[in-house]
Amino acid sequence: MTSEKKPVRLKARTVSGHVVAHAPISGDFEATLTDADGKPIVGRQITFYSTASGQRVGSATTDQSGIATLNSGSKILDPVIVASTLATGAEARFEGDDEYQAASAHAGTTVGV
């Protein structure tokens, strides 16, 4: 007898890019993972990717509210990846596990200078 995996909802929030003269460009990524009833799913890894390039930016674990937050710090050093991420946004992915189904969501971008 096999049990079916539970469906989830993943919502990605706006990505904020930070461009500072003579410093690395960074971005803030946030995603919320909940079950079908809207209850937070705690302790699951969410991975963030540049939408245009598909390159992995980083990952974070969901907290007690089901929120995973990542500041890319200096991980986005390639100017092509920076430009593509700022232009097209980022994708948040939960790969699923023994209990929950996989999910993905897109986040747009806003840029602060």
Side-chain angles (χ1 to χ4, degrees), residues 32-106:
T32 304
L33 184 66
T34 58
D35 65 15
D37 296 322
K39 295 178 184 170
I41 299 175
V42 179
R44 300 312 200 279
Q45 182 173 300
I46 307 297
T47 306
F48 299 90
Y49 298 86
S50 169
T51 300
S53 71
Q55 181 168 341
R56 181 181 182 276
V57 175
S59 61
T61 303
T62 56
D63 63 14
Q64 294 297 323
S65 300
I67 298 172
T69 305
L70 173 74
N71 179 287
S72 69
S74 61
K75 294 179 182 126
I76 306 180
L77 295 176
D78 184 334
V80 173
I81 295 169
V82 170
S84 67
T85 302
L86 293 177
T88 63
E91 181 180 351
R93 293 184 203 161
F94 170 62
E95 299 300 332
D97 57 23
D98 292 340
E99 187 176 1
Y100 294 104
Q101 296 175 357
S104 64
H106 180 263

Side-chain angles (χ1 to χ4, degrees), residues 21-35:
H22 308 293
I25 296 171
S26 67
D28 295 316
F29 304 82
E30 183 179 286
T32 304
L33 184 66
T34 58
D35 65 15

